[in-house]
Amino acid sequence: MATSKVLGYLESRKNLAGGACGLLGLVLTFTGVAGPYWPVVVAGLYGAGALIAPPERPALPRFPDPSAQLDAVREDFAKLGAYLADVDVPQALRTRLTELTDLLGALLDPGWAAELLAQDPEAVHTLSRAVRQDVPEAVDTFVRTRWWTRLAPGTEPPERHLERQLTLLCEEAERLAAALRDTEARRQETHTRYLEDRSQ
């Protein structure tokens, strides 16, 4: 702890400015200007330099690594998959749900998509919200509402609402995948232009 404080001070602006002024004092000593009081001159100039040095910049805040956030979303996606496997939904909705989870799983797979996602906090948020909130809430609401409609026939079937919600979530995931594909394509074009410019 004390060692890190000492090292921190050695690298500080105060020490660097004081050291520069102290060197000026040594130059004055070797040119004969400081005379027999050279230690006082060097120490005084060092102190003056340390006093007039600009204040230290505050350290940058440490934010969680987006790739670590993606790992947490992957774990939650596995929990979501286990939950969805136990839920009783009609086959048509099961197909739509599988399509959505396959798309979310492909986006979360480690690889180029995950690398691009890690550079886009908004995309990570969108994916996290879909896995942790949108999909489980839509399915849970369907399960609860389906039970009530059995007691009150004639109301609008909850299957219609869940199908629409799953469609909207699929469209959102497809837009995210398309944006990632566009980003990758632009990155490839930029690299191609760079190589072409370098070869000229």
Side-chain angles (χ1 to χ4, degrees):
M1 183 73 174
T3 306
S4 64
K5 285 185 178 179
V6 170
L7 290 175
Y9 179 76
L10 290 176
E11 297 174 350
S12 70
R13 293 179 178 189
K14 289 187 176 300
N15 184 49
L16 295 176
C21 290
L23 283 175
L24 176 63
L26 287 175
V27 169
L28 292 175
T29 299
F30 290 127
T31 56
V33 176
Y37 302 106
W38 69 268
V40 175
V41 171
V42 171
L45 285 173
Y46 176 87
L51 286 174
I52 63 171
E56 293 295 323
R57 287 187 309 246
L60 282 172
R62 299 281 183 198
F63 296 112
D65 183 16
S67 59
Q69 290 178 343
L70 278 176
D71 289 340
V73 176
R74 284 187 193 102
E75 290 176 13
D76 292 341
F77 182 68
K79 293 176 191 172
L80 176 64
Y83 164 72
L84 295 176
D86 291 338
V87 172
D88 179 31
V89 294
Q91 187 54 45
L93 291 175
R94 174 66 65 187
T95 303
R96 193 70 171 146
L97 194 55
T98 303
E99 180 184 337
L100 173 60
T101 54
D102 287 349
L103 186 52
L104 293 174
L107 288 168
L108 284 168
D109 270 349
W112 69 269
E115 289 174 17
L116 293 175
L117 274 172
Q119 298 167 15
D120 187 353
E122 194 64 38
V124 173
H125 173 71
T126 300
L127 203 53
S128 171
R129 186 186 60 213
V131 169
R132 294 173 172 161
Q133 180 179 346
D134 295 338
V135 176
E137 282 185 12
V139 173
D140 184 59
T141 302
F142 164 76
V143 171
R144 282 185 283 116
T145 309
R146 188 177 187 199
W147 185 84
W148 283 108
T149 54
R150 290 180 187 151
L151 299 177
T155 57
E156 188 174 13
E159 286 84 359
R160 222 177 271 166
H161 289 290
L162 181 59
E163 183 178 8
R164 181 70 182 132
Q165 291 167 6
L166 294 176
T167 300
L168 291 170
L169 289 169
C170 273
E171 289 170 358
E172 183 180 51
E174 285 165 359
R175 283 194 301 271
L176 180 57
L180 291 176
R181 279 193 299 269
D182 290 345
T183 301
E184 180 65 12
R186 283 196 303 273
R187 190 157 66 165
Q188 286 181 337
E189 289 172 11
T190 302
H191 190 63
T192 302
R193 280 198 301 273
Y194 162 73
L195 292 175
E196 288 172 348
D197 292 345
R198 197 174 71 178
S199 64
Q200 291 175 356

